[in-house]
Amino acid sequence: MREWLGALGFLAFAVGVLAVGANLQVMTRFGPGPGFFLRGLAIVLIGLVLIHALTLVLGRRRVQAAEATPDHPEAVLFRDEDDEPLIAPPGAGWRFVALAGAMMAYALLIERLGFLVSTTLLCFVAMTVLGRPWLRSALEALVAILVAWLVFGRLLGVNLPSASLPPFSMLGL
């Protein structure tokens, strides 16, 4: 039952995204418009929901709630009929909250700090939360975002958000 509710929730979300993006242009004279990716992702999500519903109807995916074990009284998430229990690693809850918070902060900061600074911070936080050492996370985030900026911003000519806050905007970030 929970899987059906989840599928209906994702379907409602995808239909809502299609409704919100109905007025956005699919194509502009420069190429794909904002509605192109929004509609494309919503249609892909609807397709995935339909595939998931089909597997539920055919009965190939029956997930049962697993009972707690003496070794892991609170960490058992679920168990398939034929599989071992899926055990949540220690700290999984706070990692999820930290990653969700980082993504929300990213959405709020990208217009103020620009693509380079905000995306580097997001990558750094995500890698650190997922267990990488902080120095390695900082270096990898910086390299990854510089490569992305060079490829998309310079090579392909994509307009990436620039900073609106004075210290960052004066630096051209």
Side-chain angles (χ1 to χ4, degrees):
M1 182 66 176
R2 259 192 295 178
E3 291 209 5
W4 281 105
L5 291 175
L8 288 174
F10 278 115
L11 182 63
F13 177 75
V15 169
V17 167
L18 283 175
V20 167
N23 295 330
L24 296 176
Q25 291 179 333
V26 176
M27 294 300 287
T28 65
R29 63 183 179 150
F30 300 109
F36 179 80
F37 295 106
L38 194 65
R39 288 182 187 152
L41 291 174
I43 290 169
V44 167
L45 183 58
I46 289 172
L48 291 173
V49 167
L50 292 175
I51 291 170
H52 182 67
L54 183 64
T55 60
L56 289 174
V57 168
L58 296 176
R60 292 191 179 150
R61 181 158 168 87
R62 293 184 199 136
V63 176
Q64 302 172 347
E67 59 279 346
T69 63
D71 296 334
H72 303 285
E74 74 283 343
V76 176
L77 298 177
F78 67 85
R79 178 175 59 211
D80 286 337
E81 289 177 341
D82 302 328
D83 296 337
E84 293 293 318
L86 175 65
I87 308 295
W94 79 264
R95 286 186 184 127
F96 173 77
V97 171
L99 288 173
M103 286 186 250
M104 286 184 221
Y106 177 74
L108 295 173
L109 294 175
I110 192 163
E111 289 184 4
R112 292 171 183 84
L113 300 179
F115 172 80
L116 287 173
V117 175
S118 60
T119 309
T120 303
L121 287 173
L122 174 68
C123 288
F124 170 73
V125 169
M127 285 188 277
T128 305
V129 165
L130 293 174
R132 284 222 197 277
W134 69 270
L135 184 58
R136 183 175 176 182
S137 296
L139 292 173
E140 288 177 354
L142 190 61
V143 169
I145 300 312
L146 285 176
V147 168
W149 175 73
L150 287 171
V151 170
F152 291 103
R154 296 293 176 222
L155 186 64
L156 297 175
V158 175
N159 265 341
L160 299 172
S162 56
S164 63
L165 288 178
F168 298 105
S169 61
M170 288 187 295
L171 294 173
L173 300 174

